[in-house]
Amino acid sequence: MYEFNYQKAGSVADAAAKVAGADDGTLMAGGMTLIPTLKQRLAMPSDVVDIGQLADLQGISVAGGKVSIGSMTTHDTVANSADVKGAIPALTVLASGIGDPMVRNRGTMGGSVANNDPAADYPGAVLGLGATVVTDKREIAGDDFFTGMFETALDEGEIITRIDFPVPTKAAYTKFPNPASRYAIVGVFVAQTADGVRVAVTGAGGTAFRATEMEAALNANFSPSALDGISVSADGLNKDIHASAEYRAHLIGVMAKRAVAACG
Amino acid sequence: MASVSMTINGKQVSGEVEGRTLLVEFLREHQRLTGTHVGCDTTQCGACTIHMNGEAVKSCTMLAVQADSAEVSTIEGLANGDELHPMQEAFREHHGLQCGFCTPGMIMSATALAKRNPSPSEADVRHWLEGNLCRCTGYHNIVKAVMAGARAMNA
Ligand SMILES: Cc1cc2nc3c(=O)[nH]c(=O)nc-3n(C[C@H](O)[C@H](O)[C@H](O)COP(=O)(O)OP(=O)(O)OC[C@H]3O[C@@H](n4cnc5c(N)ncnc54)[C@H](O)[C@@H]3O)c2cc1C
Ligand code: FES
Ligand code: FES
């Protein structure tokens, strides 16, 4: 790791000021992605501003048909929340399948969404539920948030404070995990919402995306068989040592059917 | 340089560290607590697992400054003098180790599981140990040891 100046933020405003005041400041949440990145010398920030401990950014509330989760809430807290389980059980399933217990004890929802790893799980839920990402400056619709591989609509230094998930009628998340890291080779989040069915795919492409042809079929008939005959093109999908683009395209169909079946 | 202070295995310690000093470096090199191992240094293997405020974390992926004011426990804090902790005793009894490199992390991870789940099934243990790798044992005896150790801890 290159040397950097560590600063602990006292509040969201203080964090924003510390990042703005630094030559090249970066936020740190759970550090589960940032610290490995720094170790590999893939980043060389002048300042690391720690927001992981901020009390305002922790916690879960369920009210008015939505589940609001503070950005620094850990995966483990979401996985074990009776409130989340009662309102959107698919989210607890998703959170409990991230990495391993030690990663879940430190890693946060906000860090995961801000990082937008193509294989991350939470982007599937943000898109699949049509969530709203709330920052220190504005609210960003889930549909507009993920702009490309490791890229988001966040401005430089903008801080995610919480994410609001509308409670769906039914939802399920199914992933085909990489057996070593548990990152999604393909993950599909299916939700029946007030505005119709949403199907979000993560792990398969550069960033999470909606499978609109599947959504139309499921709006007409919400059953796994409605997806028979819908194939997803492998063009532009990820390929690596774990899976070819064609294999990922096939998995999207399989995971989507399983998710619809899991909606019950 | 920043000053940090924390409780390690019940003892108050403090020291001067750089922002980039990892918690595992602070434990091993500053405090000479070398029971916590570094296997991969890339957040995969869990050999560096310790407890911070009662929860299992990978100390190779935390800065020492992030543990400021925290309660840390390491493998050195488990035994009571010559008397092994029930989880250590279960690893001995069930041959849950060969070279022993992964063992401190396995045991710290296992004791965290036992606190949440006093009587884990084989599937619970295998799922929980996803973040702890062992290159020797093939896991079978580790799983048996963790199941027995969790029951002994909660007996
Ligand atoms: C072994 C291992 C296995 C994993 N497996 C999975 C998996 O199966 N599925 C999965 O989804 N993820 C997985 N992860 C990633 C994990 O979920 C991380 O927690 C996550 O990617 C980053 O969260 P963090 O809180 O640690 O963020 P950090 O690493 O602290 O930060 C990540 C990035 O987000 C920025 N950031 C952090 N918080 C904010 C904020 N509030 N506002 C704006 N920007 C912010 C930081 O500046 C940084 O660039 C795994 C990680 C490891 C090490
Ligand atoms: S040394 Fe920390 S996870 Fe391997
Ligand atoms: S006993 Fe050798 S690595 Fe586990």
Side-chain angles (χ1 to χ4, degrees):
Chain A
M1 256 189 276
Y2 295 112
E3 233 177 304
F4 55 79
N5 180 31
Y6 172 86
Q7 304 198 54
K8 191 166 258 182
S11 65
V12 175
D14 179 46
K18 285 188 156 105
V19 172
D23 280 345
D24 180 16
T26 190
L27 296 165
M28 178 163 68
M32 290 298 104
T33 295
L34 182 66
I35 294 174
T37 308
L38 294 173
K39 282 187 182 182
Q40 290 178 66
R41 297 192 169 178
L42 294 173
M44 193 172 66
S46 63
D47 291 72
V48 170
V49 178
D50 191 353
I51 56 172
Q53 309 302 313
L54 289 179
D56 315 358
L57 301 181
Q58 316 280 341
I60 294 166
S61 69
V62 182
K66 63 182 187 192
V67 176
S68 298
I69 304 184
S71 60
M72 296 297 97
T73 308
T74 63
H75 306 325
D76 184 66
T77 302
V78 174
N80 291 297
S81 161
D83 288 340
V84 177
K85 192 167 187 182
I88 317 181
L91 264 189
T92 57
V93 169
L94 180 149
S96 62
I98 295 177
D100 60 56
M102 289 77 91
V103 168
R104 292 194 290 274
N105 279 335
R106 298 290 302 160
T108 68
M109 173 182 286
S112 174
V113 168
N115 192 55
N116 194 20
D117 189 301
D121 294 299
Y122 270 123
V126 169
L127 263 190
L129 289 166
T132 302
V133 179
V134 182
T135 75
D136 57 339
K137 297 191 183 131
R138 57 188 166 139
E139 300 198 345
I140 306 170
D143 282 328
D144 303 329
F145 188 80
F146 304 105
T147 52
M149 194 179 273
F150 295 106
E151 302 217 335
T152 68
L154 291 173
D155 290 334
E156 190 99 355
E158 189 171 1
I159 302 174
I160 301 176
T161 55
R162 62 166 210 270
I163 300 180
D164 292 343
F165 296 93
V167 176
T169 317
K170 289 175 180 175
Y173 178 65
T174 308
K175 82 165 152 174
F176 191 85
N178 175 315
S181 71
R182 307 279 149 190
Y183 271 108
I185 288 180
V186 169
V188 178
F189 200 103
V190 172
Q192 255 187 336
T193 74
D195 308 323
V197 176
R198 298 175 69 99
V199 178
V201 179
T202 192
T207 186
F209 60 88
R210 286 174 65 186
T212 46
E213 204 182 329
M214 290 185 172
E215 291 179 351
L218 292 169
N219 272 323
N221 169 19
F222 193 78
S223 75
S225 62
L227 300 176
D228 285 343
I230 298 182
S231 62
V232 177
S233 161
D235 283 351
L237 295 189
N238 301 334
K239 47 178 185 286
D240 54 29
I241 54 166
H242 307 296
S244 65
E246 292 71 22
Y247 187 63
R248 280 187 163 85
H250 177 70
L251 275 179
I252 294 171
V254 177
M255 292 298 118
K257 281 189 183 180
R258 287 189 192 167
V260 174
C263 283
Chain B
M1 297 294 265
S3 14
V4 287
S5 62
M6 62 188 85
T7 311
I8 304 179
N9 301 328
K11 198 175 116 210
Q12 186 67 36
V13 306
S14 51
E16 292 289 309
V17 295
E18 289 187 313
R20 63 180 166 175
T21 304
L22 295 170
L23 180 57
V24 73
E25 284 173 62
F26 184 72
L27 294 171
R28 289 179 54 87
E29 287 160 35
H30 298 217
Q31 302 298 320
R32 310 304 295 169
L33 290 169
T34 53
T36 303
H37 292 167
V38 179
C40 64
D41 203 19
T42 57
T43 332
Q44 322 269 327
C45 76
C48 63
T49 303
I50 56 129
H51 294 189
M52 186 176 78
N53 299 330
E55 297 286 1
V57 297
K58 290 177 171 174
S59 63
C60 77
T61 313
M62 277 194 61
L63 305 175
V65 283
Q66 289 179 288
D68 192 31
S69 315
E71 299 240 352
V72 168
S73 37
T74 68
I75 190 73
E76 286 91 345
L78 287 187
N80 180 7
D82 286 342
E83 190 192 327
L84 293 180
H85 180 278
M87 190 62 78
Q88 291 174 309
E89 184 55 41
F91 269 69
R92 196 180 72 85
E93 178 71 25
H94 292 272
H95 303 282
L97 59 147
Q98 288 179 21
C99 79
F101 192 85
C102 68
T103 315
M106 286 286 177
I107 288 182
M108 295 313 286
S109 184
T111 55
L113 169 64
K115 279 198 268 172
R116 291 190 184 199
N117 183 345
S119 157
S121 67
E122 181 183 337
D124 293 337
V125 173
R126 288 186 185 274
H127 180 58
W128 184 269
L129 292 181
E130 272 164 7
N132 293 88
L133 304 183
C134 175
R135 297 290 78 177
C136 304
T137 63
Y139 301 98
H140 229 64
N141 288 351
I142 292 179
V143 175
K144 278 191 215 158
V146 175
M147 290 172 70
R151 281 163 183 79
M153 275 173 69
N154 292 287

